[in-house]
Amino acid sequence: MRRLFPSVLAAMFFAAGAHAQSDASGPFVTPAGSAQFERVGGDYVASLDGTAFDRFGARALVHFDDEGEAGQAVARMLVATDSGPALYDFRRRPPLVERTGKRMNLQRVFWQGDEVVMQSPEGWYRFKGGILTKLQSSKTIYR
């Protein structure tokens, strides 16, 4: 735990890679097209250029966006769903959809290369290549 603390502290102070949560439904400019969320019954439907690519249950829409260089198009998005966070990668068409498979409340999200680092009340997690890993200790500084 002592080795994890410096990484957590560094991540808190160097929040350039951290993105605040949003509840906006779009449209969002992405490399793959225009993405949007729409409430349909008790679910949300995610669409790209008017074509649905995902459907998920959630009480409210919450997502964290990776805007790439200088606020350009949204390259990736982490969406909070009832079954756990889902990663949308808009750098390809159709977008890649990966689910973490673990229910958690997200507090902060950091984008570091191809991995996503998430803070929840249960601790820190890394999601990369479809694999969710609980971080125990790290010397990596997330920015």
Side-chain angles (χ1 to χ4, degrees):
M1 184 68 177
R2 284 185 173 168
R3 293 187 338 208
L4 176 64
F5 183 71
S7 296
V8 172
L9 192 58
M12 289 172 29
F13 288 111
F14 299 105
H19 295 275
Q21 70 184 33
S22 172
D23 62 357
S25 61
F28 304 97
V29 176
T30 75
S34 179
Q36 187 159 348
F37 295 99
E38 184 179 348
R39 186 80 167 180
V40 177
D43 292 341
Y44 282 95
V45 174
S47 62
L48 187 65
D49 292 333
T51 303
F53 68 88
D54 192 28
R55 183 181 192 109
F56 59 90
R59 281 187 260 154
L61 180 62
V62 176
H63 55 88
F64 297 82
D65 305 340
D66 176 16
E67 295 179 344
E69 303 278 327
Q72 295 175 349
V74 176
R76 295 176 293 176
M77 184 180 289
L78 193 70
V79 181
T81 72
D82 287 344
S83 60
L87 174 67
Y88 296 159
D89 189 342
F90 295 109
R91 297 175 294 183
R92 46 181 86 176
R93 188 173 177 101
L96 174 68
V97 178
E98 294 180 313
R99 301 192 187 286
T100 62
K102 177 177 174 50
R103 295 177 84 175
M104 64 176 74
N105 293 322
L106 298 176
Q107 295 172 325
R108 287 190 286 176
V109 170
F110 296 87
W111 302 94
Q112 186 82 11
D114 280 340
E115 69 182 9
V116 182
V117 177
M118 303 167 272
Q119 182 186 17
S120 77
E122 297 84 31
W124 290 84
Y125 293 86
R126 177 179 73 188
F127 190 56
K128 182 177 181 180
I131 299 171
L132 183 68
T133 308
K134 183 162 178 33
L135 298 176
Q136 298 298 323
S137 63
S138 173
K139 293 183 181 182
T140 305
I141 298 173
Y142 295 99
R143 299 181 182 181

